[in-house]
Amino acid sequence: MYKLNEKVDRINTSSLKWDGMKLAFGKNELLPMWVADMDFSPPTSVIEKLKERMDHGVFGYTIANENTAQAIVDWTNNRHGWEIRPEWILYSPGVVPSIGMAIQAFTEVGDKVLLQSPVYTPFFNMIENNMREVVNSPLQLVNGRYEIDFADFEEKLKSGVKLFLLCSPHNPGGRVWKKEELVKIAELCKKYDVLIAADEIHADIIFEPHHHFPLASLDPAYQDFVVTFMAPSKTFNLAGLQASFIVAPNEEMRKKLTIIQQTLNLTSLNTFGMIAMEAAYRDGEEWLNECIAYIEGNINMIDEEISRSLPELDVMRPEGSYLVWIDCRKTGLNDQQLRESLLEKAKLAVNFGASYGKGGEGFIRLNPACHRSIVEEGLERLKIAFGS
């Protein structure tokens, strides 16, 4: 058993989640249930390996060796049934930088890049910051879960889109796309000669009976136009160590990404990020399974208490990821009023849905990857915000 129920004090550790609220919300006196990192210590094996390296005492330039690549290969095979090759792997400090690299590698200034809102805010930022055009095919909310409007998706692909950014599992809605949905996405992109950059950073955190399928694994032909972004950062709470990887089976696409990496001099991992990644993928599965069970208990609590005490809120129960997307539209509050109720009245920090694009208005994203007492306090603060 791991000490997932041990409350860790993160204040004054330069934690974005705990110490960065003033920057994000104008005040620190809030209960932080916002940015997507956990309050849990990572697997013991990760900490032990980091301590071993610390004791060595020399921290010069580091190269990712074949052991790191093999750990990734074994993890993707064992966890997802996807057999990749070490030579397909490129390293990156994070998935968001990888998205930027893909946009620069596969499109030109002014090109159209497709996304599906509501979606992780940096999708918009990276397209716009790289002077490309955002093309949006909004997801449809059907019976409390998101579905893809494939007619609209195809029309948008026809408009001259060069690259599609797929969020799988979906953030913030928590959808784990079914195999048939992913195949339809891939076949349409193939038909219209659109490349796919698949953000699969939440792939390891899936709730039964759902199953994550890496898009590129579903057909060998898809490997010619799909690159995949993964990382141990969400899975094992290692975001601050800045270690992720890109799987690019197609040699031409891999070369284009490598050129961008070399242009930016982002071709390697930092010493501790590399060690943590390898250790987590080698020995972290038991910890992860316990972590998923603990988080699911928190989600159950949120779902049950909101259903009982706050019926004007609708919880979109996640199929994957540890984020809870809550529909607040029946409260009648606009986005500014939502902010005032939650931040000023309830002193609760959440992510507000409007920042995720069309379809996010009137929603909030809540992070329950924390000690259960924080979830309990968060629910009481929701009642303060929305109670009569």
Side-chain angles (χ1 to χ4, degrees):
M1 288 289 293
Y2 293 90
K3 296 180 180 179
L4 295 169
N5 200 35
E6 185 177 276
K7 199 168 184 180
V8 179
D9 184 0
R10 299 183 64 192
I11 296 173
N12 295 326
T13 63
S14 297
S15 161
L16 173 63
K17 183 178 180 180
W18 285 84
D19 298 324
M21 287 184 288
K22 187 168 185 178
L23 183 65
F25 303 108
K27 59 181 69 182
N28 270 334
E29 298 75 26
L30 305 168
L31 186 72
M33 298 189 74
W34 62 301
V35 66
D37 77 1
M38 305 184 192
D39 287 336
F40 309 133
S41 297
T44 304
S45 60
V46 173
I47 296 173
E48 289 175 348
K49 289 294 183 181
L50 290 173
K51 285 180 178 179
E52 283 180 20
R53 190 65 181 82
M54 176 67 74
D55 289 341
H56 179 268
V58 179
F59 312 112
Y61 292 115
T62 301
I63 57 171
N65 58 43
E66 60 186 22
N67 294 329
T68 308
Q70 193 59 49
I72 293 170
V73 168
D74 292 343
W75 180 264
T76 56
N77 188 10
N78 295 334
R79 191 81 182 177
H80 302 294
W82 185 22
E83 295 185 10
I84 66 174
R85 300 175 185 172
E87 61 266 27
W88 295 354
I89 297 170
L90 301 173
Y91 297 101
S92 168
V95 166
V96 174
S98 297
I99 291 171
M101 292 177 203
I103 290 169
Q104 291 183 24
F106 306 135
T107 68
E108 303 292 337
V109 171
D111 279 350
K112 295 180 177 180
V113 180
L114 178 65
L115 50 69
Q116 297 169 306
S117 72
V119 73
Y120 185 46
T121 307
F123 277 34
F124 293 93
N125 298 340
M126 296 310 293
I127 296 170
E128 293 167 347
N129 291 347
N130 283 285
M131 295 179 287
R132 274 62 167 176
E133 179 182 344
V134 174
V135 178
N136 187 13
S137 179
L139 297 171
Q140 303 300 302
L141 188 57
V142 180
N143 296 324
R145 66 200 292 270
Y146 285 120
E147 294 186 2
I148 297 167
D149 182 344
F150 279 106
D152 182 73
F153 184 74
E154 184 169 9
E155 283 300 314
K156 297 297 169 57
L157 291 175
K158 288 179 184 178
S159 71
V161 166
K162 300 296 183 183
L163 179 68
F164 168 51
L165 302 183
L166 170 66
C167 195
S168 177
H170 180 254
N171 174 13
R175 266 302 311 274
V176 174
W177 305 113
K178 294 181 179 179
K179 183 186 290 187
E180 53 266 33
E181 292 173 307
L182 292 168
V183 167
K184 195 165 185 178
I185 286 170
E187 291 296 330
L188 285 170
C189 288
K190 182 180 176 183
K191 178 179 179 180
Y192 294 103
D193 196 26
V194 174
L195 302 178
I196 301 175
D199 173 1
E200 302 190 15
I201 195 171
H202 290 282
D204 298 321
I205 301 174
I206 306 296
F207 302 107
E208 293 184 354
H210 306 284
H211 183 84
H212 173 78
F213 297 96
L215 176 59
S217 74
L218 297 179
D219 190 315
Y222 299 165
Q223 296 180 358
D224 283 335
F225 59 93
V226 178
V227 294
T228 305
F229 309 138
M230 289 181 161
S233 51
K234 302 300 182 191
T235 308
F236 299 104
N237 201 30
L238 303 174
L241 295 180
Q242 297 186 313
S244 77
F245 62 94
I246 305 168
V247 183
N250 180 272
E251 185 176 4
E252 182 181 351
M253 294 180 76
R254 192 164 63 250
K255 284 181 177 177
K256 288 182 177 180
L257 283 166
T258 301
I259 289 170
I260 297 300
Q261 285 188 311
Q262 291 171 341
T263 301
L264 300 171
N265 197 27
L266 292 174
T267 56
S268 62
L269 298 176
N270 76 72
T271 303
F272 291 101
M274 182 190 73
I275 290 168
M277 175 186 282
E278 183 179 338
Y281 284 151
R282 287 288 182 212
D283 301 303
E285 190 159 34
E286 182 182 359
W287 178 95
L288 175 59
N289 292 336
E290 288 187 20
C291 185
I292 290 172
Y294 187 88
I295 291 170
E296 189 167 24
N298 285 350
I299 293 171
N300 289 340
M301 180 186 297
I302 291 169
D303 199 2
E304 292 165 7
E305 186 60 28
I306 286 179
S307 295
R308 178 169 54 247
S309 303
L310 294 166
E312 66 274 30
L313 304 184
D314 292 313
V315 175
M316 187 179 294
R317 190 179 179 91
E319 301 168 353
S321 88
Y322 52 74
L323 302 166
V324 179
W325 190 234
I326 302 175
D327 187 346
C328 307
R329 292 176 296 173
K330 287 192 293 189
T331 65
L333 301 178
N334 61 33
D335 288 298
Q336 182 58 38
Q337 291 168 328
L338 274 179
R339 293 183 67 89
E340 290 172 358
S341 289
L342 287 158
L343 298 177
E344 304 297 331
K345 187 177 177 183
K347 310 296 183 186
L348 179 63
V350 300
N351 293 104
F352 293 95
S355 67
Y356 297 88
K358 183 178 180 181
E361 304 89 345
F363 286 76
I364 59 172
R365 194 188 75 171
L366 198 72
N367 178 1
C370 55
H371 193 269
R372 194 147 292 159
S373 64
I374 293 176
V375 176
E376 292 169 347
E377 177 63 23
L379 286 167
E380 292 304 311
R381 295 189 185 212
L382 281 177
K383 294 175 190 176
I384 293 171
F386 299 116
S388 57

